[in-house]
Amino acid sequence: MTEKSHTLLVLGGSTDQLFMIRTAREMGLHTACLDGNPAAPGLAAAHLSAPIDFSDLPAVFQWIDRQEKIFGGVSTMGSDVPHLLAAIGARYGWRAPTAETGRLATDKLAMKECFVAHGLPVPRFSAVESGADVRRCWSEWGCQRVIIKPIDRAGSRGVLLVNDDQDIDQAVAHAAGQGLSGRLILEEFVPGPQISTETVIGNGQAHTPGFADRVYEGMESFHPQIMENGGWLPALCQGQELEEQVVGLVEKAAAALGVNNGAAKGDVVVCPQRGPMMIEMAARLSGGDFSEGLVPLSTGVNYVRTVIEIAMGMDPDWKALEPRQNQVVANRYFFPCAGTLEEVDLPREFVDREEVVKVVISYQAGDVIPVIRSHGDRAGVMVIVGDSRGQVQDLVDLGYEKVRFKIDGRWVTGKPQQ
Ligand SMILES: Nc1ncnc2c1ncn2[C@@H]1O[C@H](COP(=O)(O)OP(=O)(O)O)[C@@H](O)[C@H]1O
Ligand SMILES: [Mg+2]
């Protein structure tokens, strides 16, 4: 990196990308940010910015070309745009995912086929177009439940669990309507604990500093939608053989997708009979709390920094990924009922506690909260730290009791109904 090319270009300036901009600044780098929304907070947080929609590549190229040669690389977090990073990286010779990685990582069917071609375990799957296709696969697989998804969405959008033949046709129509292309994938539903991972890859090395158990308690109330309710760090299997197996699997999965530089975020299910299997992998850093909050709180490690080093062509400091502490951390979401939000009660006896690191409500008085069917509609999050799962669980329970929403004249909690 020369003196002149010390600026990191960050795609997106929403709250999801602020942590990356802040981290880059702490590293002594200059930052630039593009976001189509002129009010995006990242535009003000970066040294240089423009209200440009970063998916408009000709406009992005024109803007970059107008600057002096100040850039050393491009990156983002939380935004699932490896294909845009690929196009920008390829044009300017910066380290970024390849176009093929971008394609595989944003098409659930191509991704599963790629994993199979590399001998990696995945739930049984098939492309489907109709209820008849679903019935044929389901009876062939002989599993209890199947899950249908648009191939090109994220955040559980359009993902439906099917346990009953009667629900198939509606599920196909719903998933197709939620997708961008209308193409669908059917999978056997694999019961078992699920783990979220985040792997950082660069200079021929892979490390997986992000590792958490996912929580599904209470999620039956969302049926047929399927959404996790946050997670636990450290995961129960850490320090055991299963951790090694999962890490081995996600690092191979990242290699299969061709992620040579950057981050890969894995969803793994641990089948009681067949062991860990890949549900999916995104070629990007997580948004929300995972990489910016939960992992740093639990282990003291900020691997967004490492991803920035890789994007900027620097030598990654792998030593910085060694855990420095081991604290229990949980995040849980608020899922109140639908209706017009009139007021939120955030009692100080809960939010002011030292262990309560974060409580954020995503709606304001006057907003209409929809029936929450995907993560994009969630009503908020709490993040809690402590010395043991028992202690943290007590505070989670307290948060669900104390944080209340007044909706259409009635006070309710955000706890998913059991
Ligand atoms: N084959 C499967 N077996 C068990 N659970 C699954 C399966 N596929 C998806 N899920 C559940 O549904 C969630 C959403 O599906 P996923 O493929 O990760 O889509 P998204 O891109 O919306 O996150 C997963 O996090 C997981 O909990
Ligand atoms: Mg997922």
Side-chain angles (χ1 to χ4, degrees):
M1 202 173 46
T2 64
E3 268 289 288
K4 291 207 146 189
S5 57
H6 63 319
T7 302
L8 172 73
L9 174 60
V10 178
L11 300 189
S14 77
T15 49
D16 266 346
Q17 289 87 33
L18 278 178
F19 184 74
M20 176 169 264
I21 295 171
R22 240 185 290 134
T23 300
R25 293 186 74 127
E26 278 166 22
M27 293 165 71
L29 296 168
H30 275 242
T31 51
C33 177
L34 298 179
D35 195 304
N37 169 12
L43 296 181
H47 295 90
L48 176 70
S49 60
I52 292 173
D53 174 353
F54 58 78
S55 64
D56 179 357
L57 283 175
V60 171
F61 294 154
Q62 203 181 46
W63 182 79
I64 296 174
D65 292 342
R66 273 210 313 269
Q67 313 304 317
E68 299 280 320
K69 291 197 180 333
I70 56 169
F71 295 109
V74 61
S75 194
T76 188
M77 62 187 289
S79 188
D80 201 17
V81 291
H83 53 294
L84 298 179
L85 292 177
I88 298 169
R91 180 172 157 120
Y92 297 101
W94 301 334
R95 277 186 189 164
T98 63
E100 179 62 0
T101 298
R103 184 183 77 80
L104 293 171
T106 52
D107 174 337
K108 292 184 200 298
L109 193 60
M111 185 190 312
K112 284 248 172 20
E113 283 163 355
C114 166
F115 289 154
V116 169
H118 286 80
L120 301 178
V122 295
R124 292 185 187 93
F125 70 96
S126 174
V128 290
E129 288 181 2
S130 64
D133 289 348
V134 173
R135 288 185 178 88
R136 183 178 40 77
C137 294
W138 196 357
S139 79
E140 231 174 77
W141 297 340
C143 54
Q144 252 198 338
R145 292 181 278 181
V146 288
I147 188 159
I148 188 157
K149 319 173 182 178
I151 63 154
D152 45 17
R153 285 320 281 250
S156 295
R157 236 178 128 157
V159 178
L160 291 182
L161 186 61
V162 182
N163 342 341
D164 196 317
D165 189 272
Q166 282 182 15
D167 301 331
I168 291 177
D169 297 303
Q170 221 180 343
V172 169
H174 176 81
Q178 292 289 313
L180 300 175
S181 64
R183 291 175 61 213
L184 303 175
I185 181 170
L186 184 78
E187 296 180 23
E188 66 168 320
F189 177 81
V190 176
Q194 296 193 14
I195 293 172
S196 289
T197 62
E198 216 149 308
T199 302
V200 180
I201 305 108
N203 279 8
Q205 288 196 47
H207 296 264
T208 302
F211 204 97
D213 282 329
R214 291 173 161 240
V215 172
Y216 285 87
E217 282 152 22
M219 292 292 107
E220 305 76 24
S221 60
F222 295 136
H223 182 82
Q225 265 82 34
I226 180 158
M227 279 180 284
E228 85 278 6
N229 184 12
W232 280 115
L233 285 80
L236 288 179
C237 71
Q238 282 183 272
Q240 298 173 18
E241 198 192 325
L242 180 58
E243 180 189 11
E244 262 176 60
Q245 290 174 10
V246 172
V247 167
L249 174 61
V250 293
E251 292 181 359
K252 280 186 205 138
L257 297 180
V259 184
N260 299 324
N261 289 303
K265 184 174 115 31
D267 289 357
V268 173
V269 60
V270 183
C271 174
Q273 287 80 33
R274 292 169 283 175
M277 310 181 110
M278 285 311 299
I279 290 183
E280 67 165 352
M281 179 165 266
R284 63 173 171 91
L285 279 168
S286 51
D289 291 302
F290 197 64
S291 54
E292 85 167 65
L294 307 181
V295 177
L297 284 166
S298 180
T299 66
V301 169
N302 176 0
Y303 54 83
V304 172
R305 201 183 168 102
T306 324
V307 170
I308 293 171
E309 288 166 348
I310 293 166
M312 293 296 282
M314 299 154 74
D315 274 340
D317 177 7
W318 298 120
K319 274 219 172 68
L321 298 185
E322 281 166 20
R324 266 168 273 149
Q325 62 198 45
N326 190 17
Q327 205 173 23
V328 175
V329 186
N331 64 325
R332 296 291 182 276
Y333 305 123
F334 295 110
F335 299 95
C337 57
T340 302
L341 180 64
E342 291 166 13
E343 210 179 320
V344 181
D345 188 19
L346 294 171
R348 303 204 69 143
E349 59 181 297
F350 176 67
V351 292
D352 285 353
R353 291 185 70 123
E354 209 184 324
E355 305 93 329
V356 179
V357 179
K358 175 176 178 181
V359 181
V360 169
I361 306 297
S362 347
Y363 293 97
Q364 293 177 344
D367 287 347
V368 176
I369 302 180
V371 175
I372 300 170
R373 292 208 166 89
S374 65
H375 285 300
D377 292 333
R378 278 177 336 218
V381 63
M382 55 183 157
V383 176
I384 294 166
V385 299
D387 294 327
S388 69
R389 279 203 181 191
Q391 187 200 350
V392 173
Q393 183 63 55
D394 286 347
L395 287 168
V396 165
D397 294 342
L398 187 69
Y400 274 134
E401 187 191 314
K402 296 286 178 196
V403 175
R404 293 183 315 144
F405 301 78
K406 190 175 181 194
I407 295 175
D408 295 332
R410 204 164 62 89
W411 283 101
V412 297
T413 75
K415 184 175 176 164
Q417 299 309 304
Q418 309 279 342

